[in-house]
Amino acid sequence: MNQSDRFFQPQNSKDAMRQIEKLFNQYKDAPLTSELITYHRSLVSRLQTDILAAAKQEGIPDRLAANQSMVDIMNRWLTIRLSGQPYNGKMKSFKFVADNAAPKFKRRVLKSKGASNHRSARH
């Protein structure tokens, strides 16, 4: 295996931001350890340096705003988790999405064979 094939090589800043978003959503509920905090800070520093420079070079203003949004969300995550509170949310499309909605239940509506307009629901 070639050494360059071992690592993710993003094509542009959006690819890199999506990868960081995916990684963040994987570890956001994990117990805090010093290794996790170090890893999180390295991802934030990547966003603030390398990826921000690539986004500026691409010249897309929405990408710069999304980068700043991701940095803010990730910094807020660290302060919330260090204070001992749970982080109720995730990152989707480079924005914070709350997870505190009620659970959704699937239901199957069945048509009866009779002439009436009534339908039964099997939960």
Side-chain angles (χ1 to χ4, degrees):
M1 176 181 269
N2 195 0
Q3 185 69 15
S4 64
D5 294 338
R6 291 185 59 210
F7 301 103
F8 175 71
Q9 297 292 326
Q11 301 300 320
N12 55 19
S13 62
K14 189 173 185 177
D15 283 348
M17 288 168 46
R18 280 193 178 149
Q19 183 69 20
I20 289 178
E21 178 183 68
K22 186 175 90 173
L23 293 170
F24 173 76
N25 285 331
Q26 286 177 354
Y27 71 76
K28 68 178 179 64
D29 294 326
L32 281 183
T33 60
S34 60
E35 292 87 10
L36 180 64
I37 293 172
T38 305
Y39 180 70
H40 177 76
R41 287 185 176 152
S42 72
L43 287 180
V44 171
S45 69
R46 274 296 154 89
L47 278 171
Q48 291 174 331
T49 56
D50 302 339
I51 299 172
L52 181 64
K56 283 181 181 176
Q57 186 178 13
E58 291 168 4
I60 302 171
D62 291 340
R63 190 103 17 104
L64 295 172
N67 188 323
Q68 186 59 39
S69 171
M70 284 182 70
V71 170
D72 293 341
I73 290 168
M74 292 175 80
N75 286 332
R76 196 172 339 122
W77 173 84
L78 189 58
T79 57
I80 289 172
R81 290 301 307 272
L82 286 175
S83 67
Q85 301 295 322
Y87 186 75
N88 295 327
K90 64 180 182 176
M91 199 182 315
K92 185 175 180 181
S93 300
F94 315 126
K95 294 182 175 84
F96 174 77
V97 177
D99 278 345
N100 55 4
K104 295 181 181 178
F105 296 99
K106 293 181 181 178
R107 64 183 193 112
R108 215 179 274 167
V109 177
L110 301 174
K111 293 182 182 178
S112 62
K113 294 184 180 180
S116 65
N117 221 0
H118 301 292
R119 296 180 181 194
S120 65
R122 304 271 165 86
H123 297 284

